[in-house]
Amino acid sequence: MTGQLAFVESPVQLLNVLEWAHAQSLAVGGTTAPDGRGAAIHASSEEPDSAPPPGVGPVRAPADLTLVVLSPTDPMSRGQLRRMAQLARDDGFTVHWQEARGSRGSLGRTLRELAPLLRSAERVIVGDPFSRYVQLLLTLFAPRRLTVVDDGTATMEYAAQLARGERLVRWHRRGSRGPRELVLAPVTAAARRKLAPTRSRTVEIFTSLPVEPPPGTTVTQNTFAWTRSRFGPPRLTKGADLVGTSLVETGVVDPDQYAAVVAELARVHGATRYFAHRREATEKLHRIAVETGLEIVRPDLPLELIARRGPIGRTVVSFPSTVVHTLPLALAGTGVKVAVCEIAPEWLKETASPRAQGFLAGVAGTAAHEVDRLTAQAAQATQTPQRLEFG
């Protein structure tokens, strides 16, 4: 067993695998200059600069690493993944595109085609430990080394549940288990064991989030060095940009409350653009555009790359999500200010998970010290516009 195999199901997962490979190369002796000569750069605990040293570009891809894209079905994710896959190929990575969903017999075909790679893999890298597809693959083939990279805020919940010895459940899911969950329960239980460290298996968490290492695991910081070496620094615009969220689509936040807050944020900050999450509904985005006049931007790459490539607003306002942790790293030294708007309890739907408020507060509260906190206080009557307090 000598190979390394990465399973990615979203554009951000693929980006973070590239960041992991870059960090690995830096740790063992530096990076590669455009003319092919080795240029030594060593990892540092200091705040990252806005740009790499002159003449230094992205590292060479590890020859034994294969990126497997377990393609989703929604067009936005597929489009971003194809562009991220091309960036990886441009940097010399081997990328295997697997149509893992959407057709009859796709699961069996995927397992047959990936079995030789899995059997020879010393290390497996995954981005979403809650993915049923990934869990199934891990139950069939157990690697000696496992690395988990960020995919949204899933890493924080994975680490916390692993430390507490709990079953793996996404934070926005309610506690009751339906028929599908009961059928898949044995897979989830087996996967949880395969996602935990043992005497014969190491577990690394590669993350930009504030994660406490569960017992027996190693946490490695993702500083977005690959992103900063590949793009930018960006040109800054005079106004502000808003970053959208799929909290409405996941059933956490009330759509009317969300639309009202977006309108108020745009007014207070003078925002002109709204960067949509890839899972936001077209109807919701149309409403935001009509009611606020904001330009809706559907990014063709993860926001960290879009922001680093520019142009980007001097202020970027987001709801609690991974970007309040990743953008300060990707945009370090550029002068861009990142702010997070906390979620008020009144915005949550009655059907939201009981854990939602606490989890979202934790995401916002653990953002870097240079991130501004925007507090929002709901009015007494739902018909009255929201009153936002910014500090």
Side-chain angles (χ1 to χ4, degrees):
M1 300 175 70
T2 57
Q4 300 185 98
L5 191 61
F7 290 114
V8 297
E9 300 173 277
S10 75
V12 169
Q13 291 179 31
L14 206 163
L15 168 60
N16 287 321
V17 171
L18 298 182
E19 293 288 354
W20 175 84
H22 186 94
Q24 291 291 304
S25 296
L26 295 183
V28 297
T31 184
T32 302
D35 61 2
R37 299 192 307 269
I41 300 179
H42 301 288
S44 171
S45 60
E46 299 178 358
E47 182 175 325
D49 297 326
S50 64
V56 176
V59 297
R60 285 177 176 170
D64 64 341
L65 174 60
T66 299
L67 306 179
V68 177
V69 179
L70 300 174
S71 177
T73 56
D74 68 284
M76 283 298 298
S77 296
R78 289 174 67 89
Q80 284 194 16
L81 267 169
R82 287 200 180 279
R83 283 178 280 275
M84 281 301 305
Q86 189 56 52
L87 283 177
R89 293 188 180 102
D90 291 345
D91 276 8
F93 288 86
T94 300
V95 180
H96 175 79
W97 186 277
Q98 185 72 37
E99 292 292 352
R101 299 172 172 86
S103 64
R104 190 173 183 179
S106 57
L107 175 59
R109 182 174 62 254
T110 296
L111 294 177
R112 288 194 302 272
E113 293 178 1
L114 296 183
L117 290 172
L118 278 162
R119 292 193 188 99
S120 63
E122 172 78 12
R123 180 190 300 273
V124 170
I125 307 158
V126 301
D128 183 6
F130 298 93
S131 164
R132 299 302 190 201
Y133 225 118
V134 168
Q135 290 180 356
L136 178 60
L137 291 170
L138 290 178
T139 59
L140 299 176
F141 305 92
R144 294 176 182 172
R145 300 178 184 272
L146 178 71
T147 294
V148 178
V149 302
D150 285 335
D151 180 40
T153 53
T155 315
M156 297 175 71
E157 193 71 348
Y158 159 70
Q161 292 178 12
L162 188 64
R164 296 191 297 261
E166 299 174 353
R167 66 187 182 94
L168 299 179
V169 181
R170 297 187 191 274
W171 65 267
H172 56 80
R173 296 276 175 85
R174 294 188 66 85
S176 58
R177 291 197 279 181
R180 182 174 180 272
E181 294 294 317
L182 293 173
V183 170
L184 293 172
V187 173
T188 302
R192 192 212 167 280
R193 293 191 294 271
K194 298 296 179 68
L195 285 160
T198 64
R199 290 183 178 179
S200 59
R201 179 171 54 255
T202 64
V203 175
E204 174 195 23
I205 301 175
F206 181 74
T207 180
S208 60
L209 304 174
V211 170
E212 285 294 324
T217 67
T218 300
V219 172
T220 306
Q221 185 183 15
N222 177 4
T223 64
F224 282 85
W226 180 86
T227 295
R228 287 181 287 108
S229 72
R230 195 69 158 75
F231 298 97
R235 177 175 65 85
L236 306 187
T237 63
K238 293 182 179 180
D241 290 323
L242 302 185
V243 178
T245 175
S246 60
L247 290 174
V248 171
E249 284 72 14
T250 53
V252 176
V253 170
D254 177 81
D256 294 332
Q257 298 274 17
Y258 183 80
V261 173
V262 168
E264 185 67 4
L265 287 171
R267 184 189 65 80
V268 170
H269 289 276
T272 58
R273 296 188 299 177
Y274 178 98
F275 286 98
H277 188 280
R278 58 190 173 85
R279 290 178 179 162
E280 286 191 82
T282 302
E283 297 78 8
K284 185 183 80 173
L285 295 176
H286 177 72
R287 175 183 178 180
I288 290 173
V290 170
E291 294 182 0
T292 67
L294 287 167
E295 175 191 356
I296 305 299
V297 179
R298 286 277 200 180
D300 60 355
L301 290 168
L303 187 61
E304 293 79 8
L305 302 188
I306 294 294
R308 183 72 195 179
R309 187 172 60 180
I312 191 70
R314 293 184 183 275
T315 300
V316 178
V317 181
S318 173
F319 294 96
S321 72
T322 315
V323 299
V324 303
H325 296 270
T326 61
L327 285 183
L329 296 170
L331 296 172
T334 64
V336 176
K337 193 68 177 178
V338 178
V340 56
C341 180
E342 298 178 357
I343 302 295
E346 295 84 355
W347 303 353
L348 300 182
K349 297 183 69 173
E350 292 183 359
T351 55
S353 167
R355 297 186 297 160
Q357 181 64 37
F359 184 80
L360 292 170
V363 173
T366 55
H369 64 85
E370 65 268 22
V371 174
D372 283 344
R373 270 73 171 175
L374 312 180
T375 59
Q377 183 174 351
Q380 295 299 318
T382 57
Q383 291 81 7
T384 305
Q386 302 291 333
R387 176 166 56 86
L388 301 179
E389 299 174 355
F390 301 100

